[in-house]
Structure formats: structure tokens, C-alpha cells
Amino acid sequence: MRATTPRPRAKNERVSNSRQRRQQHLLDVRVRSHKATQHRNRRVLVVISKIVLAAAVCTGLFLGVRFGAKRLFFENPDYRLSQIEVQTDGTLQREQILKAADLHEGENIFSVNLARVQEHLLQLPQVDEVQVVRKVPGEIDIRITERKPVAWITSDKQISDPFASEVAFLVDARGVLMKEKKLLPEYLGLPLITGCTSESLEAGKIVESSEAKAALDLLRLSTRSFMQTRFQIREIDVSKGYCLLVADKNNARVTFGFYDLETQLRRLEHFLTYCDDSKQELATVNLLVQRNIPVTFAERAATVINDTIEPAIEPRIMKAIPVHAPSMPKTRADSTSPKAIPTHRKKTD
């Protein structure tokens, strides 16, 4: 046989062929994949262990803080509520405020939810603003700003005494209806809004009708310097549904529209200034009309009183004339004397 001599191998030639290299690469990939899986599992285990340890530490801290707070604060007799200071600028009574706030002396001061107390007090129709302050070790201060009523309002067209009426409510500038248990004397002088039949009136509600809102706007705008002293509103009738019939302290009758009240008040101011300059009293005026405004004037009260009391310049003297002549005989006394001297008759046997 013919012998074959091996071909000399180059220095940089690979020992393994392509098949062997492919198998070797597959084995290397499998080994590295197994190591990566083990490394990933080890990292996940470490992360889970850290999370469990952190949760255990947090739970322990929470339970420890809760137990400590319970022993030091919530169950400490030094922090019992021993004083409740109530301050208000209106007619609300202390018992009424504490009942609405659900506060009782003797309970733990830290167990009182101040936000809930404030929310309960704001539900009272008379309350406008509330401030609740906790003062350790055992005091809670409540400061209340009550709503200021600006008028009475009722659905009746005529009412004599709003104090005694069950359908008359106090209303503030925002339109919140109130029913006071204790009525102050200054409430009697408040203006009266009558004829509000377009909505049901209940304590705590806010008036929504356009006529009631217009009446409140008129009361607010009429508190200007000049108008407040010259035009003091006594009653507003809203029963017409399209206008406001207003009566002031001097019994003047003024008709207002619902809109553009400032312009109407300016026109009324001109009329009142004219009345002051001409020494007249305003009787009626219709401000719904923009031009040729109908207006009437009344006589001043002093003129009427003087005409009634002052006598004439030369009063007449009335003399009484007897109907029949006197039948009594004349005597020697003066016949004009009211008493006549009687004559004595001589006795006869």
C-alpha cells in the first residue's frame, strides 16, 4: 500500500474541527446557564429575606410604639379631659354645643377627633366658623363664630310678630336659614321679608329663589353710608314674583326690580336728596321704570300736626241763647243773678 505522510500543521491552525467546536460551545452554554440560574435564585432569596426582615422590624416597631403610646397617652389618667372651654359670640348655649360636638368630660383627650368635632359643629345652622384646639394635659378650647342674621323671612304675606311665629326664620347674608332658641331684643328690629312662597323654608337650608336672593342683595347694598341713614328698610314683599315692594321706616313705598339694584338705588338716592332739599316726604316711587319715573310725595308729619293743633287767628266765641224765657218772677235782686231772693208770705189765721 501506498503510505500517506501527514500534512504539516500550521502554527495557528485549530486542533478541533467545527463539529467538535459546536458541541463544546453547547456544553459551555449549558454550564453558564445553570450557574446564572443559581446566582439569580440566590439574589431573589436574599431580597426576600431582606423584605421579610424589614417587615418584621416594622411590625415590631409599630406594635411597640402602639403599646407604648397606649400606656403613656391613651391609658394615662393624667390626660383625661377635665375642662372644656367654650366661647361663642352669639346665642348658642354651652349644653347645645357640647351635645352637637359629642364631647364629655372624663374621656381621654387624645381619643377626641378634633376634625370630627369641628364637622359636627359646622352642621348647626347658627355656626359660621369653628376652631377646636387641644391643650395638654386635659383641656379642649372651642371658639365659635355664629352667623349674624340680617332679616326675618317668612312665606306668609302678613305677619305681626315674627318672634311668636312658627313659620318665620332668621336669615343671614349668605341666605342660611336659622331658628334661634334664644331670641335677642335686637332681632325684633330686623327687616322682614314676606311672601316667599316659591320654596320651602327649613332651618339649615339656603334660600335658592331669585326673589329671596334679590331681597338679600338689596339689604346688603342699602347699607351704604347715605342710604343706611336715609332709607332704612322695614319690610320687603316678594309675593309679586317680578318685583320687590319695599317699605322703609318713614312708610315710603318703593318698587324695585330683581336686577341692576345698584342703578335703582342711585336713582332712589337722587329722589331722597330732592326731598331733603325741597322739604318734602317721599310717598311712593316705582324704580322699575327707567324714564318718567312715577313718584308721589306726602305731606310732612309736622304740617299735619300743626294744622290739627294750632287754633285759628281769631277764634269765634259761641253764645248760648235760651229757648224759653224764665217763668220765675222778678225780685228786687238783679234779674241776671243765677239765684233769686224768695218773698215771704204773711201768715193768716
Side-chain angles (χ1 to χ4, degrees):
M1 289 180 64
R2 186 176 175 178
T4 59
T5 58
R7 184 177 56 88
R9 188 177 56 183
K11 293 183 179 182
N12 59 350
E13 187 178 358
R14 296 179 178 179
V15 178
S16 60
N17 54 23
S18 60
R19 183 179 179 180
Q20 293 176 346
R21 289 196 300 271
R22 196 161 42 247
Q23 292 179 354
Q24 184 179 4
H25 177 70
L26 291 176
L27 291 175
D28 185 46
V29 169
R30 291 175 182 175
V31 172
R32 285 188 296 175
S33 175
H34 181 68
K35 289 183 178 181
T37 302
Q38 291 181 347
H39 185 65
R40 184 171 60 253
N41 293 338
R42 191 180 298 111
R43 286 191 301 174
V44 171
L45 183 61
V46 170
V47 171
I48 294 176
S49 300
K50 290 182 178 179
I51 293 174
V52 172
L53 181 61
V57 172
C58 292
T59 304
L61 289 175
F62 174 76
L63 293 177
V65 170
R66 184 176 180 180
F67 178 78
K70 186 177 180 180
R71 293 295 299 273
L72 294 176
F73 299 101
F74 294 96
E75 294 182 354
N76 193 338
D78 294 335
Y79 295 110
R80 289 181 180 176
L81 183 59
S82 59
Q83 183 178 359
I84 303 176
E85 185 70 23
V86 177
Q87 297 180 4
T88 180
D89 61 349
T91 60
L92 283 175
Q93 303 297 316
R94 174 183 174 87
E95 293 76 12
Q96 187 179 2
I97 295 173
L98 295 181
K99 182 179 179 180
D102 195 16
L103 280 178
H104 308 281
E105 294 182 355
E107 59 182 327
N108 187 271
I109 192 173
F110 293 104
S111 64
V112 178
N113 191 334
L114 300 184
R116 185 177 301 172
V117 171
Q118 184 176 7
E119 181 181 357
H120 289 172
L121 290 176
L122 286 174
Q123 293 178 358
L124 293 175
Q126 300 93 333
V127 176
D128 188 16
E129 296 180 359
V130 179
Q131 183 180 5
V132 185
V133 180
R134 181 177 12 232
K135 294 182 179 180
V136 293
E139 182 181 351
I140 289 182
D141 290 352
I142 301 176
R143 294 180 176 86
I144 295 178
T145 303
E146 297 189 26
R147 302 183 188 276
K148 304 300 182 183
V150 297
W152 292 91
I153 186 169
T154 180
S155 58
D156 293 345
K157 293 185 178 181
Q158 291 183 354
I159 185 172
S160 58
D161 187 7
F163 270 62
S165 176
E166 293 293 334
V167 295
F169 297 86
L170 290 169
V171 60
D172 71 341
R174 300 179 183 178
V176 180
L177 299 175
M178 297 171 284
K179 198 70 174 179
E180 299 282 358
K181 292 185 177 180
K182 180 181 178 182
L183 297 176
L184 299 179
E186 54 264 26
Y187 293 166
L188 188 60
L190 293 177
L192 179 61
I193 302 174
T194 61
C196 187
T197 58
S198 59
E199 59 180 329
S200 60
L201 303 179
E202 297 178 5
K205 288 186 59 177
I206 301 177
V207 292
E208 298 292 342
S209 60
S210 58
E211 54 266 25
K213 290 182 177 180
L216 293 175
D217 289 340
L218 179 61
L219 291 174
R220 176 180 56 85
L221 294 173
S222 64
T223 56
R224 294 181 299 177
S225 57
F226 174 78
M227 298 300 296
Q228 187 176 9
T229 57
R230 187 62 179 83
F231 183 70
Q232 298 180 5
I233 297 177
R234 178 173 54 87
E235 183 178 343
I236 302 177
D237 184 6
V238 299
S239 60
K240 295 294 184 180
Y242 64 90
C243 66
L244 304 175
L245 301 178
V246 182
D248 71 343
K249 298 294 183 179
N250 297 325
N251 294 323
R253 302 286 176 174
V254 184
T255 303
F256 286 89
F258 289 164
Y259 307 102
D260 201 9
L261 292 173
E262 292 186 359
T263 303
Q264 298 179 65
L265 284 173
R266 282 196 294 269
R267 291 203 294 264
L268 177 61
E269 186 175 348
H270 294 321
F271 281 109
L272 294 175
T273 304
Y274 172 79
C275 290
D276 293 340
D277 295 339
S278 60
K279 307 299 181 181
Q280 299 185 80
E281 290 290 340
L282 184 65
T284 62
V285 59
N286 188 349
L287 298 175
L288 285 172
V289 183
Q290 296 183 1
R291 294 183 179 180
N292 300 324
I293 299 175
V295 57
T296 60
F297 300 94
E299 294 186 18
R300 298 179 64 89
T303 304
V304 177
I305 294 173
N306 292 335
D307 291 342
T308 306
I309 296 178
E310 290 182 359
I313 299 176
E314 295 181 356
R316 293 181 299 171
I317 300 175
M318 306 298 292
K319 295 182 180 181
I321 302 175
V323 178
H324 302 287
S327 59
M328 185 177 297
K330 295 184 180 181
T331 60
R332 289 177 296 180
D334 189 4
S335 61
T336 60
S337 175
K339 293 183 180 181
I341 302 174
T343 58
H344 297 280
R345 292 184 179 180
K346 187 178 181 180
K347 293 182 180 182
T348 60
D349 293 335

